[in-house]
Amino acid sequence: MWIKGARILDPENGIDTMGDIHVSHGRIAGIYPGGSPDTDAESIDAQGKWVLPGLIDMHVHLRDPGFEYKEDIASGSLAAAAGGVTTMVCMANTDPVNDNPSVTKYIIDRAKSVALVRIMPVGAVSKALMGQELSEMGLMKEAGIVAVSDDGNPVEDASLMRSALFYASTFGLPLLSHCQDRPLSVSGVMNEGALSSGLGLSGIPGVSEEIMVSRDLLLSRDTRVPIHLTHLSTKTSLELVSRAKEQGIPVTCDVTPHHLLLTEEGVKTYDTNMKMYPPLRTEEDRKALVEGLLHGIIDCVATDHAPHARDEKNLDFDLAPFGVIGLQTLLPALLKIHFENDKGLLGVLGAVTCNPARILGIDGGNLTPGSRADITIIDPQRQWVFTEECIRSKSKNSPFLGQRFTGMVIQTIVEGQTVFRES
Amino acid sequence: MNWPRKDLIGIQDLSKEEIITILEMTTSFKEISKRDIKKVPTLRGKTVVLLFYEPSTRTRLSFEIAAKRLSADTTSLSASGSSFSKGETIMDAALNVMAMAPDCIVIRYPYAGIPQKLARELPCSIINAGDGYHEHPTQALLDMYSMQERFGTIEGLRVVIVGDIFHSRVARSNVYGLRKMGAHVSIVAPKTLLPPGIETWGVDIATDFDSVIPEADVIMMLRVQKERLNQQFFSDEREYSFFYGLNKHRVDMMNSDAAIMHPGPMNRGVEITHDAADSARSLILNQVENGVAVRMTLLYLSLGGSLHVD
């Protein structure tokens, strides 16, 4: 199969060129800048389109097993395919928790039979995410996990965290840390500040994240084990990470699209689709995150796709669960940042392709000949509005409903097979 | 001309002119409660439902009496003894109430934002009787009415609000209203009970109660909300009342004309002693009396009343 006449964007190889791509046996067979010899083989006319490596979303909640009414592996993969995401890394807070190889095996087997895209599970750091005893990381690795995380539940005990870093690195597993000091944030539902006080909602102060970012950076320095900090939300967190990187601490981090595009102002109408952890912060924080992405302090953008059923979200702001979906708005959100800042296209795309692949130690995320033919084709000019009708997830809790985007995923290819085509 | 608002959610939404209108009309409604037959037919045929998801004595009784004096039919529902305790969500409960065609729902709710949501989604009038620690607009209006009645004007009054500002919807609504009406507001509390961002409220902030007492025209004491103080906000009641309680010693420091207010219910001996609560300076029972008149005004206006009472 050939993809012809496209703008080819491959952040890993620094390629931004017009040309053709040859795909054969589920692999990238070759890139032909400027065009290729005529062929009778099946081809996709991609004139005016952009072709990129399939996206890797390193932070997704698929809710399967246990909460299939919110999402399951099949519906999550439909949403991923429609969003140009060809690899999803799914978190361990299912029921039962993915803290042992039999749950890992269920996810892998289920994905094999129903998923349109590649699904790579994350194992729990601690048994039942309780922060007490280490999980069976080694056996889960054998069964197919690519990282460990207690996401959703911070590992509060510094001693266990230190131990977890050593133990995970024994098996070559990266550790993804959700930074939250619980006592400082436990009653909060939105960013703490004048707005939360005015709305009568309890605040989650930025410092509740920053304290744990600091702790994790110190533990990483102390153990010399790499650590990945997920969904950072404040300017100060980024400053801490930036300084740590300068000092050679092996830290990487990601942010979500909603923290890059939205602020706490969204909470003004008590819209529970604006409730997530960490909370939407101030415009100053948001700008710092965008700068951090454009300057490479932020390594990855990941959605923290967190489906919740309509009835759960249609509660009081205080009682509704934290979390929003994001698989189908990941790429449009990144393009928005690229268009608004008119720079850094390859850098921004690297945050959802080669960077997560590198951090997780997995293949994919590039268009290097010989690698998996996971490819996303987008129409960069298409203007559209994101509505509930667009959503392929079982849950509709998006903070971007009604948002206008430029640039749309029109075709998604996984190992050479088309899994989504925009109709 | 009719009142243009279907709902009353917060003082933050009201203009100064609207507040003045409400306070002016309250005087006419107050007169009704002094009659031998305390009932006018103004809201005959209207149904007012009181949905109270938090314990309340004063506010609920006050709304009920206000509605009855205007001849509205009232029904009152509380959290215990309703299907809320069976797990029904507030939206389902509200839709069920709506199906019975009330003209107005008065709601008291433990979390912020629900009156706003009901106002958006239901066709009937919604009056907020307190939501979480967001707003309690009728309390602020009756407080302002009581101050105006006592001092003739609110403009230029020096009002000191003391206590748990962090968890107080009464403080928020009063600050918004008093600032709009041109009063000078000082907040007194230990720093743990100041809400984040209070520096944007346009009020003075003090931690030393004694330093602001001589200047004050009104000292408004807030209840120590034991049920909300789930963290370490202060050491104990003994220390709290030593620094932030209104006692005889502090009453003696007050300027001769100054008044004492409290939204109730009082914790006697904690934020206020009997020397203060029962003194001649106390407007606490006037507040309760005026509460009925203010709520009559708001029910009347929200249910489409004309701005000119016959």
Side-chain angles (χ1 to χ4, degrees), chain A residues 92-404:
Chain A
N93 60 344
T94 46
D95 182 18
V97 170
N98 185 18
D99 61 1
N100 67 76
S102 59
V103 178
T104 308
K105 188 167 180 316
Y106 161 79
I107 297 168
I108 300 267
D109 288 349
R110 185 80 189 141
K112 263 188 201 137
S113 64
V114 301
L116 298 172
V117 305
R118 179 166 65 158
I119 288 171
M120 306 184 108
V122 173
V125 167
S126 66
K127 286 182 181 159
L129 306 172
M130 296 295 284
Q132 312 263 322
E133 304 163 49
L134 293 174
S135 66
E136 295 175 335
M137 295 184 194
L139 291 173
M140 285 194 288
K141 162 98 186 215
E142 304 266 294
I145 64 165
V146 294
V148 288
S149 178
D150 269 4
D151 182 64
N153 281 24
V155 177
E156 291 181 60
D157 180 336
S159 167
L160 182 78
M161 188 61 156
R162 191 169 73 144
S163 193
L165 282 168
F166 280 132
Y167 198 58
S169 71
T170 304
F171 302 105
L173 288 165
L175 192 152
L176 319 177
S177 177
H178 161 122
C179 299
Q180 174 183 11
D181 181 82
R182 207 191 299 261
L184 269 173
S185 58
V186 69
S187 61
V189 294
M190 70 170 289
N191 184 47
E192 179 179 287
L195 188 62
S196 66
S197 294
L199 290 170
L201 295 173
S202 296
I204 299 174
V207 73
S208 67
E209 172 177 305
E210 292 143 9
I211 280 177
M212 284 309 223
V213 167
S214 306
R215 182 201 73 173
D216 285 353
L217 292 172
L218 292 170
L219 286 175
S220 173
R221 185 175 72 176
D222 184 52
T223 59
R224 298 181 196 186
V225 174
I227 193 160
H228 179 84
L229 309 181
T230 190
H231 54 50
L232 295 183
S233 69
T234 76
K235 185 181 176 184
T236 302
S237 289
L238 282 201
E239 286 167 0
L240 290 165
V241 167
S242 175
R243 210 177 311 149
K245 285 187 166 184
E246 280 165 22
Q247 292 169 359
I249 297 175
V251 57
T252 51
C253 67
D254 69 67
V255 298
T256 73
H258 42 274
H259 288 101
L260 288 166
L261 291 186
L262 305 172
T263 68
E264 60 175 359
E265 296 290 310
V267 180
K268 272 187 169 169
T269 56
Y270 301 93
D271 179 357
T272 55
N273 285 341
M274 297 287 170
K275 181 178 176 183
M276 73 289 288
Y277 186 88
L280 297 173
R281 303 286 187 187
T282 65
E283 179 62 9
E284 190 186 358
D285 292 308
R286 189 193 72 81
K287 280 191 179 144
L289 297 186
V290 170
E291 285 300 305
L293 177 64
L294 296 173
H295 291 104
I297 294 161
I298 293 165
D299 302 274
C300 305
V301 175
T303 61
D304 196 2
H305 178 82
H308 289 294
R310 192 184 301 271
D311 286 342
E312 295 172 310
K313 275 292 196 181
N314 193 22
L315 285 175
D316 328 310
F317 199 89
D318 280 275
L319 301 183
F322 289 92
V324 297
I325 59 168
L327 285 164
Q328 290 178 253
T329 43
L330 171 61
L331 191 58
L334 286 179
L335 292 175
K336 193 175 173 76
I337 288 161
H338 161 65
F339 290 133
E340 280 172 3
N341 296 278
D342 195 29
K343 62 174 172 184
L345 182 55
L346 281 185
V348 167
L349 293 177
V352 287
T353 54
C354 56
N355 293 355
R358 188 189 73 240
I359 291 163
L360 296 165
I362 61 175
D363 62 341
N366 59 53
L367 297 174
T368 310
S371 48
R372 296 168 58 88
D374 290 353
I375 295 169
T376 295
I377 305 176
I378 63 175
D379 179 345
Q381 257 135 46
R382 184 86 73 89
Q383 307 222 350
W384 60 294
V385 175
F386 186 68
T387 61
E388 270 198 26
E389 289 68 47
C390 307
I391 296 175
R392 305 292 178 99
S393 288
K394 280 189 186 175
S395 298
K396 314 295 176 193
N397 53 314
S398 168
F400 293 119
L401 289 172
Q403 177 87 235
R404 180 170 288 282

Side-chain angles (χ1 to χ4, degrees), chain B:
Chain B
M1 204 188 119
N2 284 355
W3 182 250
R5 294 181 176 277
K6 175 172 88 75
D7 314 294
L8 176 68
I9 304 306
I11 301 292
Q12 223 169 6
D13 308 327
L14 298 180
S15 67
K16 180 177 180 179
E17 290 65 38
E18 287 173 312
I19 295 172
I20 290 172
T21 301
I22 293 167
L23 299 184
E24 276 174 0
M25 292 186 70
T26 297
T27 303
S28 344
F29 282 106
K30 187 171 175 179
E31 184 270 331
I32 294 170
S33 297
K34 291 180 174 154
R35 295 180 191 172
D36 190 24
I37 296 182
K38 305 179 189 62
K39 201 173 182 86
V40 293
T42 318
L43 296 183
R44 194 166 54 198
K46 301 284 187 187
T47 305
V48 176
V49 174
L50 308 172
L51 265 185
F52 275 64
Y53 282 76
E54 245 184 6
S56 161
T57 312
R58 221 168 325 271
T59 304
R60 181 162 152 182
L61 197 59
S62 178
F63 266 110
E64 192 153 355
I65 289 175
K68 288 191 160 134
R69 289 194 179 156
L70 295 173
S71 301
D73 298 309
T74 66
T75 306
S76 147
L77 223 86
S78 61
S80 57
S82 74
S83 47
F84 187 61
S85 50
K86 297 180 194 161
E88 187 177 40
T89 69
I90 174 64
M91 286 315 293
D92 281 333
L95 288 170
N96 276 281
V97 169
M98 195 61 230
M100 299 181 219
D103 300 283
C104 176
I105 295 175
V106 176
I107 178 147
R108 155 77 55 101
Y109 200 72
Y111 304 110
I114 284 298
Q116 202 180 81
K117 189 172 162 78
L118 295 187
R120 232 176 7 239
E121 298 186 13
L122 301 184
C124 72
S125 287
I126 304 294
I127 295 180
N128 182 4
D131 62 328
Y133 44 98
H134 174 225
E135 283 235 36
H136 191 353
T138 58
Q139 178 71 43
L141 288 164
L142 73 88
D143 289 341
M144 287 190 282
Y145 184 83
S146 304
M147 290 182 216
Q148 182 170 281
E149 190 178 51
R150 170 78 165 70
F151 294 95
T153 178
I154 296 171
E155 174 117 38
L157 274 188
R158 305 182 72 84
V159 180
V160 176
I161 305 177
V162 187
D164 182 3
I165 314 296
F166 194 113
H167 299 99
S168 176
R169 53 191 173 220
V170 175
R172 282 168 178 74
S173 291
N174 263 301
V175 167
Y176 302 143
L178 289 167
R179 295 279 301 130
K180 282 178 183 172
M181 296 299 289
H184 180 99
V185 181
S186 298
I187 296 291
V188 178
K191 289 184 180 178
T192 45
L193 292 176
L194 293 174
I198 193 173
E199 62 282 355
T200 63
W201 287 14
V203 297
D204 284 345
I205 298 159
T207 50
D208 177 7
F209 190 5
D210 292 348
S211 70
V212 301
I213 291 174
E215 296 290 306
D217 297 309
V218 174
I219 294 182
M220 183 186 293
M221 302 305 296
L222 298 176
R223 189 168 67 88
V224 173
Q225 303 188 63
K226 294 173 193 168
E227 72 277 14
R228 288 193 207 270
L229 294 175
N230 57 351
Q231 290 175 26
Q232 303 92 24
F233 288 94
F234 57 82
S235 170
D236 51 30
E237 290 180 359
R238 184 172 101 113
E239 180 160 278
Y240 183 87
S241 58
F242 184 83
F243 288 99
Y244 298 103
L246 188 58
N247 51 28
K248 178 158 193 323
H249 166 68
R250 291 197 168 104
V251 170
D252 291 343
M253 290 166 65
M254 289 173 70
N255 130 19
S256 57
D257 223 21
I260 294 168
M261 298 176 74
H262 192 300
M266 292 183 276
N267 295 306
R268 284 180 181 260
V270 184
E271 74 269 3
I272 195 163
T273 65
H274 79 94
D275 309 282
D278 308 331
S279 76
R281 300 167 176 281
S282 170
L283 296 183
I284 295 170
L285 294 176
N286 306 60
Q287 289 172 267
V288 178
E289 179 189 3
N290 292 331
V292 174
V294 159
R295 288 170 179 127
M296 287 168 80
T297 307
L298 290 163
L299 286 167
Y300 168 77
L301 289 176
S302 301
L303 290 171
S306 156
L307 291 176
H308 302 282
V309 194
D310 301 327

